[in-house]
Amino acid sequence: TLSLHDALPIYELRAKGGAAAVTVSECMVHPVTDGSHAYHLDTAVLNSLASATYAADAISRHGAVPSLELSHSGMYAGTYMT
């Protein structure tokens, strides 16, 4: 899978192409209990927040609105991991 930093040219190209909004990925609300293949915005992960900020800047540079989908597994979050 691509990291957010590696996928940045894809997101920036969408913004350059005239997209009004570019959704980067989904972000787990609680990365400890929510299991997913998705990007986790986690301050414990080196450069995670910096990469998200860099991506938002690259998207905004072309007039598009950067967005990040928040995701939560609900009341059963993490129960399959025990």
Side-chain angles (χ1 to χ4, degrees):
T1 62
L2 290 175
S3 70
L4 179 59
H5 182 73
D6 294 337
L8 180 62
I10 297 167
Y11 298 126
E12 189 168 11
L13 187 62
R14 289 179 183 166
K16 280 182 184 178
V22 177
T23 301
V24 172
S25 185
E26 63 180 311
C27 179
M28 301 298 107
V29 174
H30 194 271
V32 174
T33 59
D34 285 349
S36 174
H37 63 281
Y39 167 69
H40 295 265
L41 185 59
D42 185 355
T43 55
V45 176
L46 184 64
N47 295 326
S48 181
L49 186 56
S51 290
T53 302
Y54 190 71
D57 289 345
I59 292 166
S60 298
R61 185 178 311 126
H62 303 287
V65 175
S67 69
L68 184 68
E69 178 185 352
L70 297 179
S71 179
H72 190 278
S73 298
M75 64 187 260
Y76 297 107
T79 58
Y80 63 91
M81 301 170 91
T82 58

